[in-house]
Amino acid sequence: MKPEYAGLIDKTTVLKRAYTVEVTNFHPVSHKVKVFERFPISRNEKITVKRKTPPDSAVEIEDDTGVFFWEESLNAKQLKEYKVAFEVVHPREWYLE
């Protein structure tokens, strides 16, 4: 994705990241699954992370690690998609991957 330049005065860059995690139950019976993911955590006051998806109300996010999870039962042959999206705002002269 191409970075966006946020402001003329504050000279920041916005990196937008979004992806989908797919889980399929290939078993002939239902199974309980727990899918772990994490948001990046900024250790620098000049870098901010804005969480977009999932909303804070949908999952419990550990503040110090950014780890969260979804937990549910999937029926036999069921496919479930979990979406994650966030933005990282940092000074324009810095290069982040």
Side-chain angles (χ1 to χ4, degrees), residues 15-27:
L15 300 175
K16 295 183 178 185
R17 299 292 183 255
Y19 54 94
T20 302
V21 177
E22 293 183 352
V23 178
T24 304
N25 177 8
F26 289 107
H27 295 278

Side-chain angles (χ1 to χ4, degrees), residues 74-91:
L74 295 182
N75 294 325
K77 311 300 183 204
Q78 181 181 358
L79 168 72
K80 178 72 178 182
E81 292 184 343
Y82 301 95
K83 297 189 182 299
V84 178
F86 57 89
E87 295 177 353
V88 178
V89 182
H90 64 86

Side-chain angles (χ1 to χ4, degrees), residues 59-79:
V59 292
E60 189 174 321
I61 302 168
E62 293 181 19
D63 289 333
D64 56 334
T65 63
V67 172
F68 62 94
F69 64 89
W70 295 276
E71 184 174 20
E72 63 184 283
S73 286
L74 295 182
N75 294 325
K77 311 300 183 204
Q78 181 181 358
L79 168 72

Side-chain angles (χ1 to χ4, degrees), residues 14-60:
V14 179
L15 300 175
K16 295 183 178 185
R17 299 292 183 255
Y19 54 94
T20 302
V21 177
E22 293 183 352
V23 178
T24 304
N25 177 8
F26 289 107
H27 295 278
V29 296
S30 83
H31 274 280
K32 190 173 190 178
V33 296
K34 201 172 200 180
V35 180
F36 285 85
E37 266 301 331
R38 73 181 291 263
F39 286 114
I41 299 295
S42 173
R43 302 284 185 230
N44 187 309
E45 63 188 34
K46 293 183 180 180
I47 300 173
T48 58
V49 177
K50 298 178 183 177
R51 300 187 293 247
K52 300 293 185 180
T53 305
D56 290 350
S57 60
V59 292
E60 189 174 321

